[in-house]
Amino acid sequence: MSAARTAAIQLIARKSPVAAAAPAGKPLPELFGANVFGLDQMRNRLSESAYRALRSCMEHGQELDPALADQVANAMKEWAVERGATHFTHWFQPMTGATAEKHDSFANLEGGKLLLEFNGKALIKGEPDASSFPSGGLRATFEARGYTAWDPTSPAFLRETTNGSTLCIPTAFCSWTGEALDEKTPLLRSGEALNRAAVRLLRLLGDQRVQHVHTTLGCEQEYFLIDRDLYLLRPDLVATGRTLFGAKPPKGQELEDHYFGSIAPRVLAFMQEVELELWKLGVPVKTRHNEVAPSQYELAPIFERATIAVDHNMLCMEVLKHIAQRHGFQCLLHEKPYAGINGSGKHNNWSMATDTGDNLLDPGKSPAENMRFVVMLAAVMRAVDLHADLLRTTIAHAGNDHRLGANEAPPAILSIYLGEQLSDVVEGLIAGTGKGSQRKKETMRLGVSALPTLPRDATDRNRTSPFAFTGNKFEFRAVGASQACGKPNTVLNTMVADSLTYIADEIERLAGGKGLEGAINEVVVDLFKKHQRILFNGNGYSAEWHQEAARRGLPNFRSAVDAIGNLGNKKNVELFERFAVLSAKEVESRMNIQFEAYSKAIAIEGQSALSIARTMLLPAAQRTQGAVAQSLAAAKACGVPVVAQEKRLRDLSSRIELFVGAIDDLAAQFEHAEHHAGAPADHAKTYRDKVVPAVVKLREIADGLETMVDDAEWPLPKYREILFLQ
């Protein structure tokens, strides 16, 4: 074993769980949201009129009077300063997949005295450099002016450090000319579009009570942990988030003993501190457990309003990475850090709720008799079927290409799983036989008298489906672990708003001749007939499904590059423009950014693979080659039989020759791609077609060398170490 690997392992052996700095004697209800400028703080520090206005803005999307901004800003500042804050930042989500922040001090000089000030103008608007963030052509480098705009629908919060706190104000980010440069603005626009469409349709269905509809979201976050001392010895992980080299270990996940297994003490201590920090930030995390792969875990929240849930998931990813380092870990959010090991996703649990407290996707005890639910189900079916290509673009990036369709994650083919009961309802309405199946409440008896009788769910789950109904929500399972949730939910909101609008239009058109009930029934049945092809309850991993999907005419975009171009399709641009979510210019910029992000990711992987292969792996292999040759020569000199040794040397030398050839090939392919001129789409295709296969080939040969080279010479921590040493 190499000296560096040995030293890292020795350090790991001496590590023990790190104690979380939990507030002494503070119960969870008092701890939750302690670092959030929430309703309690607003009520205590704002006038009654300001409090009501801000709450109405947060809960119902009503416009906030700018005249109240000074009062809100001063209250925020006083609250933050009392908790040790010295600075504030407009916390926003540019099109990088991460968050951004620029800190400004509350300090101001007046008459030689230091004052702590924060006014409404500073709260409402900030001015970061717009040209430094991806714009896809919206902004030239010399056009640097950009603005952050306070989002009053998402509460401000404090980020604590050992040296103080910072007041973080969720904001939108736009260009000087008004185009959205972030993921937050389109999400907010799409939420308003869905609200308008849903309220209109509910009025037609006879519900006059509902004033506002919003989407709800729960983001299940999967991640890997690796000891940081081993992580720092893996340049590929540092640069790309995944291992570019690594032979299969003697033990992986084949024993199926990790999922829901006991949690290692160091890991549990890490999880507990993560939860503590997130609870203080008002993030309603609830579930923690081991995932399928070694060193893989999951953190899951309680559902909440989608716009806030998206912010909270960004915070969740930040906190996971920050706390991991405090505990001597590195948190890996890449979709496929380890080849041959299950990758990480982020199940996007989406639904619609009213301001009267109803979940519009709750089927109730008798789904077939729940007219409102059936209408909403038809809307979602139509949306996913018509806009599967668009939904696919939201999960299209280089990392997710390694995961989708790998018998551990949903395929790239978009389909909906409803389960037996709801499928019966759909089929019954299509056939005109009435209300579908009326399944009785079933129970399970476990054959042990001491064990209770369990109620049986109406249907099983289907983990192979990319878009599965799971009781009272749809679970979009194809979202990657490293992705921001803004984009998928923007598209979900927009395409469902389109379907709700279509249904309302059709009901109004038909109601005059058929009556309201007859119109609703005709529209719903027609939609079920037209879009039944999107339903699939079987095994999405099977080759048969790929054939069946092709027969049905469902699109199958196997790579991110194939999928991204669909964003600019005429029908998709028209959809965004019709609901004022994105302009044609904003759509084009986002498509270009996705292509550019793909190219950059593959370029970094190619450069990293070349560097590691040339400077670390090849020298290690040659040193072993030299040692074997020297041993062979000594054996020959002594007259010892050397047939087996000669074969080993030939095999090793042959593989080294192949390795050198693969290095040269990757270098050539990378140079070709790097200097390729053309549109972002063409550039991305070149990287996919030239560099990706060359990296795969280089890895294949290197992983073979790893099994032949002296363990003391191999410079990279091996899978057996990085997966199991915690």
Side-chain angles (χ1 to χ4, degrees):
M1 187 178 296
S2 70
R5 286 163 54 205
T6 300
I9 291 169
Q10 290 172 346
L11 284 171
I12 295 169
R14 293 194 292 268
K15 292 177 180 178
S16 55
V18 176
K26 226 176 187 183
L28 182 56
E30 291 182 27
L31 182 68
F32 187 80
N35 286 349
V36 180
F37 189 73
L39 293 179
D40 288 344
Q41 299 298 334
M42 297 175 194
R43 186 184 292 109
N44 294 334
R45 295 173 183 269
L46 298 174
S47 67
E48 182 66 22
S49 60
Y51 168 72
R52 287 181 178 178
L54 188 53
R55 183 166 183 175
S56 182
C57 175
M58 295 180 67
E59 295 179 356
H60 305 295
Q62 295 182 2
E63 188 174 352
L64 186 68
D65 186 349
L68 297 173
D70 279 332
Q71 187 181 156
V72 175
N74 188 60
M76 278 186 186
K77 183 256 302 182
E78 289 182 350
W79 171 77
V81 170
E82 288 172 8
R83 285 156 177 78
T86 57
H87 289 68
F88 69 91
T89 181
H90 284 165
W91 185 78
F92 59 103
Q93 300 170 32
M95 291 181 285
T96 58
T99 59
E101 51 197 66
K102 182 185 90 172
H103 295 204
D104 288 296
S105 172
F106 290 124
N108 198 14
L109 282 176
E110 188 173 307
K113 291 186 176 181
L114 186 69
L115 302 175
L116 299 180
E117 295 181 341
F118 186 53
N119 57 32
K121 183 179 178 181
L123 170 63
I124 289 173
K125 188 179 78 171
E127 189 178 337
D129 189 339
S131 68
S132 298
F133 294 100
S135 71
L138 285 176
R139 306 292 292 160
T141 302
F142 63 86
E143 296 174 317
R145 194 178 296 273
Y147 297 111
T148 52
W150 173 40
D151 173 19
T153 68
S154 191
F157 58 92
L158 285 177
R159 290 298 306 273
E160 293 178 319
T161 68
T162 53
N163 298 313
S165 302
T166 302
L167 174 65
C168 299
I169 303 161
T171 57
F173 181 42
C174 65
S175 72
W176 183 76
T177 47
E179 293 96 354
L181 295 174
D182 65 345
E183 302 294 358
K184 185 67 165 302
T185 303
L187 178 65
L188 293 170
R189 292 172 182 169
S190 71
E192 291 188 354
L194 184 140
N195 170 54
R196 290 191 297 269
V199 170
R200 177 194 170 201
L201 180 57
L202 290 173
R203 292 280 187 274
L204 286 174
L205 298 180
D207 192 335
Q208 305 301 318
R209 301 175 303 128
V210 174
Q211 300 299 314
H212 189 80
V213 174
H214 62 269
T215 54
T216 61
L217 180 64
C219 302
E220 303 171 30
Q221 183 67 57
E222 295 177 348
Y223 60 96
F224 280 87
L225 291 177
I226 177 176
D227 190 274
R228 190 163 171 80
D229 289 309
L230 293 174
Y231 167 80
L232 293 173
L233 295 176
R234 294 286 318 215
D236 47 359
L237 278 176
V238 173
T240 73
R242 77 182 185 98
T243 54
L244 299 174
F245 303 99
K248 182 181 178 183
K251 176 190 174 187
Q253 61 186 62
E254 63 270 21
L255 295 181
E256 301 171 326
D257 58 344
H258 196 255
Y259 190 66
F260 281 14
S262 61
I263 302 173
R266 276 184 69 203
V267 176
L268 184 57
F270 155 78
M271 288 178 168
Q272 289 168 329
E273 186 166 358
V274 166
E275 290 171 350
L276 177 68
E277 180 68 16
L278 291 174
W279 285 334
K280 288 159 64 178
L281 291 168
V283 183
V285 291
K286 183 176 178 64
T287 302
R288 63 188 185 216
H289 62 85
N290 287 358
E291 259 294 338
V292 171
S295 301
Q296 186 187 32
Y297 308 95
E298 182 178 296
L299 184 73
I302 300 170
F303 299 90
E304 53 185 340
R305 187 182 293 261
T307 51
I308 296 176
V310 168
D311 285 359
H312 281 170
N313 184 249
M314 300 303 292
L315 276 175
C316 183
M317 291 191 287
E318 290 178 16
V319 168
L320 281 169
K321 289 186 284 189
H322 172 70
I323 301 297
Q325 293 193 26
R326 181 173 135 77
H327 287 255
F329 291 120
Q330 187 72 28
C331 177
L332 303 179
L333 296 177
H334 194 284
E335 285 71 23
K336 196 75 169 180
Y338 308 115
I341 300 293
N342 269 25
S344 296
K346 179 161 24 203
H347 298 173
N348 190 97
N349 295 277
W350 178 94
S351 191
M352 296 177 284
T354 70
D355 58 349
T356 57
D358 293 334
N359 183 341
L360 296 177
L361 290 178
D362 186 352
K365 294 182 179 179
S366 182
E369 297 175 357
N370 187 341
M371 178 179 66
R372 187 176 66 181
F373 167 75
V374 172
V375 170
M376 296 300 166
L377 176 62
V380 175
M381 281 179 57
R382 177 185 182 273
V384 176
D385 190 22
L386 288 185
H387 302 292
D389 62 328
L390 181 58
L391 196 57
R392 174 68 175 89
T393 69
T394 69
I395 55 170
H397 67 108
N400 223 15
D401 271 4
H402 297 284
R403 168 178 167 266
L404 292 178
N407 281 359
E408 68 197 55
I413 305 166
L414 269 295
S415 65
I416 294 176
Y417 168 82
L418 290 183
E420 293 179 9
Q421 185 179 26
L422 291 186
S423 295
D424 284 353
V425 171
V426 171
E427 291 168 5
L429 289 170
I430 290 174
T433 57
K435 300 176 179 180
S437 86
Q438 300 296 313
R439 295 177 181 266
K440 295 180 180 179
K441 194 80 172 176
E442 297 179 358
T443 59
M444 296 182 290
R445 304 193 71 88
L446 304 182
V448 179
S449 58
L451 297 179
T453 300
L454 301 178
R456 189 190 299 275
D457 292 331
T459 185
D460 201 354
R461 295 185 67 197
N462 187 335
R463 64 185 299 271
T464 74
S465 174
F467 203 84
F469 187 78
T470 54
N472 59 6
K473 62 189 184 300
F474 279 99
E475 185 178 41
F476 187 21
R477 298 174 55 89
V479 181
S482 69
Q483 289 188 260
C485 290
K487 187 182 299 176
N489 288 283
T490 294
V491 169
L492 274 171
N493 291 350
T494 308
M495 70 190 202
V496 172
D498 175 61
S499 285
L500 296 173
T501 301
Y502 172 84
I503 292 172
D505 288 344
E506 286 296 288
I507 290 173
E508 287 181 343
R509 182 177 67 83
L510 296 170
K514 296 181 178 288
L516 181 61
E517 187 174 343
I520 294 171
N521 186 71
E522 181 169 329
V523 172
V524 167
V525 171
D526 182 63
L527 289 178
F528 283 161
K529 287 179 180 177
K530 286 180 178 176
H531 303 291
Q532 192 179 15
R533 67 171 188 166
I534 200 68
L535 302 182
F536 179 64
N537 289 345
N539 182 5
Y541 294 166
S542 67
E544 291 79 12
W545 167 234
H546 285 249
Q547 298 167 8
E548 171 63 16
R551 188 189 66 77
R552 295 186 186 187
L554 299 179
N556 184 6
F557 303 104
R558 297 179 183 276
S559 76
V561 175
D562 293 331
I564 294 168
N566 293 311
L567 188 58
N569 289 349
K570 182 180 178 182
K571 78 172 181 71
N572 293 332
V573 174
E574 289 177 349
L575 173 70
F576 285 125
E577 289 194 316
R578 186 160 64 253
F579 291 94
V581 173
L582 292 169
S583 67
K585 192 175 180 181
E586 289 172 324
V587 172
E588 183 182 9
S589 72
R590 278 158 168 72
M591 183 174 65
N592 288 336
I593 288 169
Q594 278 191 265
F595 278 128
E596 290 166 359
Y598 179 92
S599 297
K600 289 173 181 177
I602 302 304
I604 293 170
E605 289 187 0
Q607 288 178 304
S608 299
L610 277 174
S611 175
I612 294 168
R614 284 169 169 166
T615 65
M616 298 178 74
L617 304 188
L618 181 59
Q622 289 172 330
R623 285 193 296 273
T624 294
Q625 183 187 38
V628 172
Q630 189 175 5
S631 174
L632 178 62
K636 280 184 175 180
C638 296
V640 175
V642 293
V643 175
Q645 294 182 63
E646 286 179 335
K647 183 178 184 304
R648 185 192 175 198
L649 182 61
R650 285 196 302 272
D651 291 346
L652 180 59
S653 299
S654 175
R655 188 165 287 272
I656 290 174
E657 283 297 304
L658 290 173
F659 193 51
V660 172
I663 291 173
D664 292 342
D665 181 58
L666 174 56
Q669 299 297 348
F670 180 79
E671 186 176 359
H672 172 74
E674 192 177 27
H675 295 96
H676 182 273
D682 294 331
H683 204 193
K685 288 176 183 175
T686 303
Y687 271 107
R688 180 196 62 187
D689 297 340
K690 301 294 185 181
V691 176
V692 170
V695 170
V696 170
K697 183 65 177 177
L698 184 67
R699 176 178 191 146
E700 181 185 320
I701 300 170
D703 291 354
L705 276 174
E706 183 183 325
T707 65
M708 303 173 72
V709 170
D710 185 349
D711 192 54
E713 295 290 349
W714 197 254
L716 301 177
K718 298 187 175 184
Y719 271 29
R720 67 171 188 257
E721 298 155 3
I722 58 183
L723 288 172
F724 294 101
L725 296 183
Q726 293 188 337

